[in-house]
Amino acid sequence: MQHVSIIKIGGNIIDDKEATTRFLLKFSQVPGYKLLIHGGGKIATQIAERLGLKAQMVDGRRITDQSMLEVVTMVYGGLVNKQLVAGLQAKGCNAIGLTGADGNSVLAQKREVATIDYGFAGDIVAVNAQQISSLLEQQLTPVFAPLTYDTTGSMLNTNADTMAATIAWSLASRYNVHLIYCFEKKGVLSDPDNDNSVIPALTLPMYEQLKQQGIISKGMIPKLDNAYTALRKGVQRIIICHADELQTVVSTSTVSGTTLSL
């Protein structure tokens, strides 16, 4: 079965031009089929402020009203996405920038209001695995912005970690899928204040215990919840690592970051 590497790059790397440049070089050197999903970083907030719009965040998640939806669509789907695509082209990687709306790639629905109204936040309904496979088989490298769309024609702001995991398991019946989350930390940490306290291997029971103890918390929880769902749905390998370690993780047997298992 053909191998595909699905790599998600965090927003904090996107915010750092030097870190982004290093990452794009390493990503361009990943062999075989590959796909990139990127976060948004702080650029949308900065541009919103220039436009006189105040960003609203709850537990690290953006409230996306109509005005902010217009900003994130422009920034994530335009500025950030096309800068990444151009950077990859300069490194010999033939990339194509996409949102979920392009080619009917990722369909979502507006999140229902429970306790918090997140506005135009999208929960994924379906992934068009055939369309994404077609791009890969044309030797193109899809670069997805964290944007989806719904059946009414509205764009929706969608969590990039969720998007990466969902695309990964949607392709798992067609390919041997490896999912790699790259961000500014060395992996999942046992001590959030100690960047060297990496947990090299994390099983699902270990994760549940550490979550109950509050050792794993905040934004790491949805990332790991999505990752374990992906493992249960057929993704072969999932690693969470520092962006600078991507090439090591992909190309060698050297253990780096945190490897997840059930």
Side-chain angles (χ1 to χ4, degrees), residues 19-234:
T20 300
T21 299
R22 291 196 306 271
F23 168 78
L24 291 179
L25 177 60
K26 294 177 189 300
F27 179 86
S28 70
Q29 295 169 345
V30 172
Y33 291 171
K34 53 183 176 281
L35 186 152
L36 178 63
I37 298 101
H38 63 83
K42 298 175 183 174
I43 302 172
T45 300
Q46 293 166 353
I47 290 181
E49 288 174 352
R50 290 185 210 167
L51 297 172
L53 302 173
K54 185 179 174 86
Q56 301 177 65
M57 308 289 286
V58 176
D59 295 330
R61 296 192 176 222
R62 187 182 299 278
I63 304 295
T64 309
D65 60 15
Q66 182 62 51
S67 295
M68 188 57 67
L69 178 65
E70 293 174 1
V71 171
V72 298
T73 300
M74 289 187 290
V75 174
Y76 299 167
L79 179 62
V80 175
N81 187 266
K82 299 315 174 190
Q83 285 179 337
L84 293 175
V85 169
L88 287 172
Q89 296 292 0
K91 292 169 176 56
C93 177
N94 194 13
I96 180 168
L98 303 164
T99 70
D102 296 296
N104 183 33
S105 297
V106 187
L107 178 68
Q109 63 185 13
K110 187 173 180 288
R111 184 172 302 158
E112 294 182 2
V113 177
T115 55
I116 299 169
D117 184 355
Y118 284 99
F120 291 93
D123 293 325
I124 296 173
V125 172
V127 172
N128 188 339
Q130 178 60 48
Q131 179 71 296
I132 295 173
S133 297
S134 175
L135 294 171
L136 293 170
E137 289 160 12
Q138 292 176 66
Q139 307 303 315
L140 291 167
T141 296
V143 178
F144 277 99
L147 296 164
T148 55
Y149 83 110
D150 67 14
T151 55
T152 71
S154 175
M155 295 298 295
L156 297 168
N157 188 12
T158 297
N159 180 274
D161 289 336
T162 304
M163 201 162 172
T166 308
I167 290 173
W169 79 59
S170 298
L171 294 176
S173 65
R174 297 166 179 262
Y175 304 100
N176 179 358
V177 178
H178 288 192
L179 173 59
I180 304 168
Y181 288 99
C182 294
F183 67 150
E184 73 281 1
K185 301 291 185 180
K186 294 180 180 180
V188 180
L189 306 178
S190 60
D191 178 359
D193 297 322
N194 180 359
D195 285 348
N196 293 316
S197 63
V198 177
I199 303 169
L202 186 65
T203 65
L204 181 56
M206 286 172 59
Y207 166 55
E208 295 294 350
Q209 183 178 7
L210 292 172
K211 185 165 58 170
Q212 288 179 359
Q213 294 171 347
I215 293 171
I216 294 176
S217 61
K218 299 180 180 178
M220 187 58 72
I221 290 176
K223 186 190 298 287
L224 288 171
D225 284 348
N226 281 308
Y228 280 110
T229 299
L231 282 175
R232 285 192 292 266
K233 292 192 174 187

